[in-house]
Amino acid sequence: MAAPTRIALIGCGFYAQNHLAAWRDLVPEGAELVAVCDTDPAKAAAAAAISRVPAYTDAAAMLADLAPDLVDIVTRVETHRALAEIAVRHARGVIVQKPFAPTAEDARAIVDAAARAGVWLAVHENFRFQPPLRRAIDLVEAGRIGPPSWARLHFRTGFDVYRTQPYFLTETRLCIADVGVHILDLARRILGEVTHLTAEIQQRNPRLVGEDTATMLLRHENGAVSVVECTYEARREPDPFPETLLQVEGPIGAIIVNAGGGIELTEGGAMTRLAPGYAFAPWMDPRWGISQAGCLEACRHYLARFRAGRDAETSGKDNLRTLALVEAAYASAASLGPMRPSPV
Ligand code: NAD
Ligand code: 89Y
């Protein structure tokens, strides 16, 4: 049997709780969490206690002590470059939570540092791994609707994201950088690369610094068009948070992903309802379950690809293209015109 993959995790805050649970679930597939680190000693100690591993408050010290196989960085975006640059000196693989970096230049610097060190690099971009969305991707790839030519992908919620992620209140770039990045990534995954996009942004909640709503129109290289929407200001019940809903059309059918994970698949002129084909793990909270399931499936993918010596779907290099869409969206919103994404 292959040796376990020794994983060190950096950042034990809000979302890292899902990574800790995912790595526990993935022990039978070769994951072995060996240490956790947070600059806040209480958070490091709490994560260490539930995972029964040593706690560190200094990432460089942890990595120098343990030389893990894989480092999982789950801190906020402004810390990613510095931590990734340390991690590539001590490990064979590094995973960085989305958003990959605050600027395209920082993201490129991380990709280059990993390449120079010969280190495997992935971005934890997990929406494309959420079970209903992955099922839709699989249906498209199986040719069930023919080559997709139009799609609407939307994340519309009024859930109080500011309670769970209070740092949102002061972000100058909010909705596209935080959640739009996932949906743009998903649009790329389903319809292919983008030639140009137009974005309109709004700040509907006056308490904020950044935008809370974005409406984006994308033209893909294969001629397909998609509408990508994200907002934290949709007052609708039932509120689908944290689900992304999807409609995708091709020449011979259509796929609709509804709230609750059910899918309506039209092919051959007839519609079939596919019931959600997954169950939440016991540690998942029904309010966050689809996000947590996406986190688990993303970690499973990264572990398997790292162990097989294969690039992740969402490698660092791949994610430069998703970040280019984020940059193009902000540039379009500022100039009120269409923008071509240009990965650095
Ligand atoms: P958070 O502030 O709750 O947690 C970040 C933690 O990192 C804090 O505990 C902080 O003390 C620690 N930290 C900061 N600098 C550090 C350093 N140098 N070394 C060690 N620890 C350090 O933030 P969060 O909400 O958990 O977000 C973390 C990341 O996860 C962000 O990039 C966010 O966008 C992402 N996120 C992703 C999803 C998703 O679905 N993929 C959902 C929520 C958040
Ligand atoms: O931070 C966001 C993310 O990545 O997924 C959902 C979220 O937690 C709130 O928008």
Side-chain angles (χ1 to χ4, degrees):
M1 256 213 329
T5 298
R6 299 169 60 254
I7 302 165
L9 179 142
I10 305 176
C12 303
F14 166 65
Y15 206 73
Q17 305 313 310
N18 301 319
H19 290 233
L20 293 168
W23 294 130
R24 283 196 293 278
D25 277 13
L26 293 170
V27 167
E29 292 166 49
E32 183 191 5
L33 189 73
V34 292
V36 294
C37 172
D38 198 294
T39 44
D40 177 336
K43 287 186 182 171
I50 50 170
S51 300
R52 300 192 183 149
V53 294
Y56 285 79
T57 52
D58 179 340
M62 173 177 77
L63 299 180
D65 277 0
L66 300 175
D69 297 314
L70 196 53
V71 179
D72 190 18
I73 299 175
V74 202
T75 54
R76 276 149 51 186
V77 66
E78 60 277 8
T79 64
H80 288 177
R81 178 173 174 179
L83 288 168
E85 286 177 347
I86 298 169
V88 298
R89 296 205 293 269
H90 295 281
R92 292 189 295 114
V94 177
I95 307 170
V96 182
Q97 247 294 351
K98 62 48 73 174
F100 189 16
T103 63
E105 288 69 26
D106 278 0
R108 180 85 244 178
I110 299 173
V111 169
D112 290 346
R116 276 195 306 274
V119 166
W120 181 97
L121 175 68
V123 175
H124 184 111
E125 174 45 75
N126 56 22
F127 276 27
R128 58 162 83 190
F129 293 103
Q130 290 176 9
L133 299 175
R134 180 51 59 155
R135 198 174 186 191
I137 291 168
D138 290 344
L139 290 167
V140 169
E141 288 194 337
R144 302 285 284 269
I145 63 167
S149 45
W150 185 92
R152 175 180 176 221
L153 308 92
H154 50 115
F155 180 98
R156 309 197 67 85
T157 187
F159 180 77
D160 188 2
V161 290
Y162 311 104
R163 188 175 53 77
T164 44
Q165 292 168 267
Y167 53 93
F168 282 2
L169 291 167
T170 52
E171 297 283 0
T172 48
R173 287 178 161 197
L174 178 55
C175 198
I176 299 175
D178 174 63
V179 75
V181 65
H182 288 297
I183 324 292
L184 290 166
D185 182 72
L186 189 62
R188 272 187 66 222
R189 181 67 179 78
I190 295 174
L191 299 153
E193 302 303 345
V194 173
T195 60
H196 56 274
L197 68 77
T198 309
E200 291 285 349
I201 60 175
Q202 294 165 277
Q203 192 209 86
R204 295 152 80 192
N205 178 342
R207 283 196 303 152
L208 303 179
V209 176
E211 86 288 354
D212 52 41
T213 300
T215 308
M216 297 174 265
L217 180 62
L218 284 60
R219 170 70 83 164
H220 297 261
E221 281 177 359
N222 60 1
V225 168
S226 64
V227 184
V228 171
E229 306 164 16
C230 49
T231 185
Y232 302 131
E233 282 300 312
R235 307 288 164 214
R236 45 175 78 190
E237 293 298 338
D239 189 319
F241 181 87
E243 290 177 289
T244 302
L245 307 182
L246 171 68
Q247 300 161 24
V248 50
E249 298 173 359
I252 56 169
I255 296 165
I256 299 180
V257 176
N258 287 316
I263 292 185
E264 291 170 11
L265 170 65
T266 299
E267 51 181 349
M271 190 270 276
T272 313
R273 284 203 168 79
L274 308 175
Y278 60 93
F280 292 145
W283 57 269
M284 294 174 186
D285 167 354
R287 196 64 175 104
W288 277 89
I290 205 63
S291 168
Q292 294 171 313
C295 178
L296 172 61
E297 293 310 320
C299 289
R300 174 172 278 131
H301 172 83
Y302 302 133
L303 180 68
R305 288 287 178 97
F306 175 71
R307 286 170 70 81
R310 292 179 60 199
D311 280 348
E313 260 190 31
T314 57
S315 66
K317 202 170 158 203
D318 176 86
N319 198 257
L320 295 178
R321 290 183 174 274
T322 293
L323 277 194
L325 299 184
V326 170
E327 290 299 329
Y330 283 113
S332 166
S335 73
L336 304 179
M339 282 290 152
R340 291 183 183 280
S342 46
V344 287

